[in-house]
Amino acid sequence: MSNLFQPKPEDQFTFGLWTVGNPGRDPFGDQVRPIIKPTHSVRKLSQLGAYGVNLHDNDLVPFGSSAREQDQIVKEFKQALNDYNMKVPMATTNLFFHPVFRDGAFTSNNPKVRAFALQKTVRSINLGVELGAKIYVFWGGREGAEVDASKNGPDTVKWFREAINFLSEYVVDQGYDLRFALEAKPNEPRGDIYMPTTGHMLHFIETLDRSEMVGVNPEFAHETMAGLNFLHGVIQAYEADKLFHIDLNDQKMGRFDQDLRFGSENIKAAFFLVKFLEDMKWSGMRHFDAHAYRTEDEQGVWDFAAGCMRTYLILKEKAQQFNEDSDIQGLLSEIQQQDESLEKIVATYSNENVEALQAIDFQPDKIAEKGHAYEKLDQLTVELLLGIR
Ligand code: GLT
Ligand code: MN
Ligand code: MN
């Protein structure tokens, strides 16, 4: 493999400990490879050129560990981070694995479970901050239902809001430099998950007490499962200053959550996503939330991790090529027409503007005669991606 696409820490690639640590268990089959120790993942990922790792509390500290056990585990882990110059930019809570969360965490019908979820998250936030995290993700995998008769719908929204309000106040009170990112998913493991898309999350955020410290963590696979255009959700979040984090992976539309290697399935969608993040010079982490195929052994896991980063860098190079391609740019400047005097009239309402607007004879039939040359533009894009431009 050529060195041109060798990842470096400044590329800001991160992986969840749960991603490379995924032992290949699925609903029909047991694990196929041994669990990889977090300190080993730190070493291997740093050798591959990553910037850091992200984690759930229980990816590092097993559920039910004593305070002494936790101290020892955290000490060893910090040593590995230090030895390999790796960071932990994001942390989150596992509120879905233990059976206590079978009916959700912040939206469980049981008040004890809701309070326990809050307690667990407070502790996990403390751990994340201790490790240097600046972003805290909330993925409510179990916050949903199969039986809509079971809950009074608006309560679930209220409970979730109260939890986020409580925790954001806690963060401020502690003086932590931490922002929250909410991650949507339409279904799985629940039959339906509440607030199933990034769009739902964006609205919910505006109802929070400290909405300025809460953004979104859109995931490629999750929006694609819902049949949506991932990039469009990302753009809307970015435009609203709410793109705090991103989960990069791949997915066939309409399937279970596949969490495939980035760029392995929808190359054109991955390309436009990378192009957008790079064109905007988005400052966040390029985080991969995916895992190796179940067919793989440990070597396959590192092939998978290297592949995610390499594909991202190749697409970044392609984006630059796209921006410098004179045929493409020439066509784009014809397509993206400008008309300053018209744009002035429609930008804001005024008496004069509405009168000016009413006075124009647009001749829509004439405008409609001309095609948009998108066939040509898309073919140029495809040829660029296929490597012949
Ligand atoms: C889980 C899920 C991911 C979330 C992780 C954060 S855990 O693997 O499938 O999409 O981002 O909780
Ligand atoms: Mn995710
Ligand atoms: Mn996923």
Side-chain angles (χ1 to χ4, degrees):
M1 288 200 187
S2 102
N3 265 341
L4 185 61
F5 303 113
Q6 169 63 41
K8 293 182 226 44
E10 53 269 34
D11 296 319
Q12 300 194 156
F13 291 130
T14 60
F15 288 84
L17 284 182
W18 69 93
T19 65
V20 290
N22 182 302
R25 195 179 288 116
D26 73 16
F28 301 95
D30 210 345
Q31 71 179 70
V32 293
R33 34 181 192 260
I35 308 247
I36 299 175
K37 271 189 71 179
T39 48
H40 182 55
S41 292
V42 166
R43 180 166 73 85
K44 288 297 289 187
L45 288 170
S46 100
Q47 288 165 350
L48 292 174
Y51 174 83
V53 291
N54 301 319
L55 48 88
H56 299 88
D57 47 357
N58 303 138
D59 296 338
L60 183 63
V61 183
F63 188 95
S65 299
S66 69
R68 263 192 51 208
E69 285 162 341
Q70 166 153 341
D71 286 349
Q72 188 55 32
I73 294 168
V74 171
K75 199 171 140 210
E76 273 172 36
F77 186 67
K78 278 184 172 168
Q79 187 62 49
L81 292 172
N82 204 39
D83 290 349
Y84 298 104
N85 195 23
M86 290 279 278
K87 305 278 184 281
V88 177
M90 177 271 260
T92 181
T93 332
N94 187 324
L95 295 174
F96 44 87
F97 194 81
H98 192 282
V100 72
F101 300 124
R102 63 168 75 180
D103 185 38
F106 300 133
T107 62
S108 165
N109 256 333
N110 185 337
K112 277 207 179 80
V113 175
R114 299 200 296 273
F116 174 60
L118 202 59
Q119 180 199 61
K120 190 173 192 291
T121 305
V122 166
R123 292 176 183 175
S124 177
I125 284 177
N126 294 341
L127 172 67
V129 169
E130 183 184 350
L131 294 169
K134 297 277 187 286
I135 297 287
Y136 202 84
V137 163
F138 291 82
W139 171 65
R142 298 270 173 209
E143 314 291 11
E146 293 75 33
V147 178
D148 280 334
S150 65
K151 286 175 199 181
N152 171 23
D155 280 350
T156 61
V157 183
K158 183 176 129 282
W159 290 331
F160 195 59
R161 181 183 299 115
E162 282 172 0
I164 300 294
N165 283 343
F166 185 106
L167 294 164
S168 49
E169 217 51 52
Y170 174 73
V171 163
V172 171
D173 206 27
Q174 294 294 307
Y176 290 160
D177 175 17
L178 190 70
R179 294 185 304 161
F180 293 172
L182 310 185
E183 177 177 349
K185 187 175 182 182
N187 58 276
E188 199 200 2
R190 297 311 295 266
D192 285 292
I193 297 178
Y194 300 136
M195 293 186 249
T197 70
T198 296
H200 290 82
M201 289 299 186
L202 284 171
H203 172 262
F204 172 72
I205 288 168
E206 295 310 313
T207 71
L208 296 170
D209 288 350
R210 292 193 178 267
S211 58
E212 70 287 352
M213 64 179 278
V214 187
V216 290
N217 177 37
E219 173 171 318
F220 193 114
H222 297 175
E223 305 288 312
T224 306
M225 286 167 75
L228 301 177
N229 180 316
F230 181 61
L231 176 63
H232 293 180
V234 167
I235 290 173
Q236 196 180 342
Y238 174 86
E239 203 272 339
D241 264 333
K242 289 296 179 195
L243 187 65
F244 286 9
H245 200 263
I246 196 161
D247 278 6
L248 302 172
N249 54 14
D250 215 332
Q251 172 78 26
K252 288 190 205 236
M253 199 175 272
R255 308 276 167 96
F256 66 94
D257 187 20
Q258 296 174 306
D259 290 333
L260 299 169
R261 190 181 74 257
F262 181 62
S264 61
E265 203 49 51
N266 301 284
I267 263 292
K268 206 200 284 180
F271 166 70
F272 281 111
L273 177 66
V274 170
K275 179 167 150 31
F276 177 72
L277 298 178
E278 297 302 320
D279 284 351
M280 296 302 118
K281 299 189 174 19
W282 183 64
S283 61
M285 295 294 133
R286 273 61 173 168
H287 169 71
F288 296 106
D289 184 12
H291 50 77
Y293 304 128
R294 190 165 182 271
T295 47
E296 303 307 289
D297 57 14
E298 189 185 323
Q299 182 52 48
V301 170
W302 307 123
D303 291 343
F304 144 83
C308 285
M309 296 187 281
R310 186 173 160 82
T311 299
Y312 188 100
L313 292 176
I314 295 169
L315 292 175
K316 182 176 169 180
E317 169 91 4
K318 293 276 179 196
Q320 197 183 333
Q321 204 189 328
F322 184 101
N323 291 341
E324 288 165 1
D325 187 300
S326 52
D327 292 339
I328 292 176
Q329 294 308 317
L331 191 53
L332 274 177
S333 56
E334 280 172 40
I335 287 170
Q336 296 171 352
Q337 305 165 24
Q338 277 167 5
D339 186 330
E340 271 181 37
S341 62
L342 253 191
E343 275 155 29
K344 246 186 162 162
I345 291 174
V346 298
T348 41
Y349 171 81
S350 71
N351 218 349
E352 297 79 63
N353 282 349
V354 78
E355 273 172 24
L357 186 67
Q358 292 307 318
I360 302 172
D361 176 9
F362 281 105
Q363 297 185 283
D365 292 338
K366 183 114 205 319
I367 299 173
E369 278 168 18
K370 200 171 164 350
H372 288 262
Y374 293 170
E375 283 291 354
K376 197 168 171 189
L377 177 66
D378 191 64
Q379 182 65 22
L380 286 169
T381 307
V382 168
E383 293 190 11
L384 184 137
L385 290 176
L386 291 178
I388 63 157
R389 286 193 69 77

